[in-house]
Amino acid sequence: MAGLTPCLPTTADLTIRHFFSGAAVYAADRNCISFTPAGFALKLPQDLRGELLAEEGVESLQYFPNAPLKKAYVVLPQRMLENTETLCFWVDRSIEYVLTLPRPKK
């Protein structure tokens, strides 16, 4: 997740939580980024997911074979992760999107 650092705005309330097989970034307690063995995934609105899914190598998030798709998330291919400008653009869209969602109940 070190390559993600330049993309994270300092003005947002962001936290990184590590768990058994990866980590997640939360914006104001809303999950926006997932990094697991399944890949680097961003939570995005339907229109932006559709735009990204049209790109070669982008897939819906699925944590395990035969597990249900996490339809709100798309996994970015390596070429997008290596392009800082592209990565930061999509990270910004993800953070902007989740901040429009209601806070999760605790």
Side-chain angles (χ1 to χ4, degrees):
M1 300 229 355
L4 182 61
T5 304
C7 299
L8 298 177
T10 57
T11 55
D13 175 17
L14 300 177
T15 55
I16 298 173
R17 298 180 190 157
H18 297 271
F19 50 89
F20 60 93
S21 65
V25 177
Y26 292 79
D29 295 322
R30 300 161 183 95
N31 189 337
C32 56
I33 301 168
S34 172
F35 187 69
T36 68
F40 182 93
L42 299 172
K43 187 172 191 173
L44 293 165
Q46 185 175 359
D47 61 327
L48 295 181
R49 287 193 313 270
E51 183 179 330
L52 270 176
L53 287 167
E55 295 272 338
E56 183 180 337
V58 177
E59 300 176 348
S60 293
L61 177 61
Q62 186 174 29
Y63 285 114
F64 307 102
N66 301 319
L69 294 176
K70 301 293 273 179
K71 293 179 184 174
Y73 292 84
V74 293
V75 178
L76 301 183
Q78 191 63 38
R79 67 178 168 75
M80 290 181 137
L81 300 178
E82 293 171 354
N83 182 321
T84 303
E85 185 177 332
T86 298
L87 177 61
C88 291
F89 174 83
W90 289 109
V91 165
D92 284 346
R93 300 297 79 73
S94 179
I95 293 169
E96 288 172 358
Y97 170 62
V98 300
L99 290 175
T100 68
L101 302 175
R103 281 188 182 266
K105 296 178 182 175
K106 291 189 176 192

